[in-house]
Amino acid sequence: MAYVVKRLLTMIPVLLFLSMMVFSLIHLIPGDPAQIILGQDATPSAVAALRAQMGLNQPLFMQYVQWMGKLFHGNLGTSLIDHEAVMKLIGQRLPVTVELAIGTLIVALLIAFPLGILAAVYRGKWADFVALFTSTIGLAVPPFWIGIIFLLLFTVKVHLFQSSGYVPIWQNPGQNLSTMILPMVATGIREAAVLLRMLRSSLMEVVDQDFVRTARAKGLRGFVVIVGHALPNALIPVVTTAGIQIAGLLGGLVITEQIFSLPGFGQLLVQSVFSRDYTTVQGAAMVAALIVVVVNLIVDLVYGFVDPRIRLTGGRS
């Protein structure tokens, strides 16, 4: 518990630093939100009046202080373009991206673990060759290209899945899976390739260690030795990689969301940048940063369950 509290306290300066970075960088982007809202034909006086109404004439420091004041009260502000609460906009988009990220990670684990274990156990044999070939293909082929091929094959030619029409899973699970399965697989193949290589190399190191040979010498079956003894000791780098992947996916699925017409978090962020919607960009970026920090904390806590020695020594940072 003390470790968790300590990690939570270390999150405060990190988030403060990120808030300053986010606020400063978004204001460096060329373009005037008031001009974009009113259009190119707007008069200078109308633009100036709207800038004053939006508070954009104030010094940046004052704007930052006011934004942080709202942030401490859980208020991310109101969108300059949609005139809706940023928290509401994020709440509408984030579940789509979270579902896509979790589904992508599940697909990646389902591919990476069997192939990674087989590659490590049968090193230099056919299983190892198949695993390396699969991971190379997964790393070499961009997910957006796989997504386009999937769309053409499974929605245009075969009509097996839907190419658009996302609905939340709690409203219609069948239609939800029909629109989400292809983007999950398209993105999951690349993530699986990374996890597969990490698991293969980590497991190869472990299977040569003395405790594994001792387990085999005791007459334990090969499956028990690998899954029960070697695999848990090879999971730390895999857990680290998976944590980095899921944190990256939550903010990096914008291309997949665009190809499959998914109204996700990444799409909201990009649209807000192009429309100079400062408050939405700032709010979305802070939520993304908070998610990454929380995911890293969860990964650190998972270390203790994967390897009890880390829990006994107070965890690693």
Side-chain angles (χ1 to χ4, degrees):
M1 188 61 187
Y3 176 72
V4 175
V5 173
K6 180 181 176 182
R7 287 301 308 269
L8 289 174
L9 291 176
T10 59
M11 290 167 56
I12 295 175
V14 173
L15 291 174
L16 280 175
F17 176 75
L18 289 174
S19 71
M20 289 187 282
M21 290 291 295
V22 167
F23 189 87
S24 303
L25 291 177
I26 187 60
H27 284 81
L28 291 178
I29 299 176
D32 187 341
Q35 185 73 61
I36 293 174
I37 293 172
L38 295 176
Q40 294 300 322
D41 297 330
T43 62
S45 59
V47 174
L50 184 57
R51 283 184 58 83
Q53 180 184 344
M54 297 164 70
L56 298 177
N57 287 337
Q58 299 182 35
L60 277 183
F61 176 74
M62 289 304 298
Q63 294 183 43
Y64 174 74
V65 171
Q66 292 175 359
W67 178 60
M68 287 300 293
K70 294 179 181 177
L71 200 61
F72 280 125
H73 291 86
N75 181 6
L76 296 179
T78 303
S79 167
L80 300 178
I81 306 300
D82 297 327
H83 305 293
E84 292 193 39
V86 173
M87 187 69 80
K88 179 182 177 183
L89 293 175
I90 294 174
Q92 292 171 343
R93 302 295 193 95
L94 189 58
V96 182
T97 303
V98 170
E99 180 185 354
L100 181 56
I102 292 175
T104 297
L105 188 62
I106 292 173
V107 170
L109 293 175
L110 290 176
I111 297 172
F113 266 74
L115 289 179
I117 292 172
L118 286 174
V121 173
Y122 298 101
R123 186 185 321 178
K125 297 182 180 178
W126 65 269
D128 192 16
F129 172 77
V130 171
L132 288 177
F133 179 80
T134 304
S135 66
T136 302
I137 294 294
L139 290 172
V141 182
F144 72 85
W145 188 84
I146 298 176
I148 293 172
I149 296 299
F150 279 1
L151 275 178
L152 294 174
L153 183 61
F154 293 109
T155 64
V156 178
K157 290 286 186 183
V158 184
H159 302 288
L160 191 60
F161 299 103
Q162 293 181 329
S163 60
S164 61
Y166 170 84
V167 295
I169 193 169
W170 56 86
Q171 291 184 7
N172 189 331
Q175 186 175 343
N176 176 273
L177 287 178
S178 181
T179 55
M180 294 295 280
I181 192 71
L182 289 182
M184 287 174 180
V185 175
T187 315
I189 290 174
R190 182 180 181 81
E191 305 303 325
V194 177
L195 283 178
L196 191 159
R197 284 183 174 270
M198 184 61 67
L199 179 61
R200 174 180 176 272
S201 60
S202 179
L203 196 54
M204 278 181 174
E205 291 181 8
V206 174
V207 294
D208 290 333
Q209 293 185 11
D210 292 340
F211 75 93
V212 175
R213 283 194 289 269
T214 302
R216 285 177 172 149
K218 289 180 177 178
L220 294 177
R221 292 186 300 167
F223 178 81
V224 175
V225 172
I226 296 298
V227 176
H229 295 267
L231 186 58
N233 289 276
L235 282 181
I236 293 297
V238 180
V239 170
T240 304
T241 305
I244 295 171
Q245 284 180 316
I246 196 166
L249 285 171
L250 290 170
L253 287 171
V254 59
I255 296 178
T256 303
E257 291 172 357
Q258 193 70 33
I259 292 173
F260 290 94
S261 303
L262 296 174
F265 181 70
Q267 203 177 65
L268 171 68
L269 192 55
V270 172
Q271 290 172 351
S272 301
V273 169
F274 282 120
S275 62
R276 307 296 187 272
D277 190 349
Y278 291 168
T279 53
T280 303
V281 174
Q282 290 165 186
M286 282 307 298
V287 169
L290 180 62
I291 291 173
V292 170
V293 173
V294 171
V295 168
N296 284 333
L297 173 61
I298 294 173
V299 168
D300 283 350
L301 296 178
V302 170
Y303 287 161
F305 293 98
V306 173
D307 189 343
R309 293 170 298 180
I310 296 176
R311 186 169 44 188
L312 288 174
T313 56
R316 293 172 184 167
S317 58

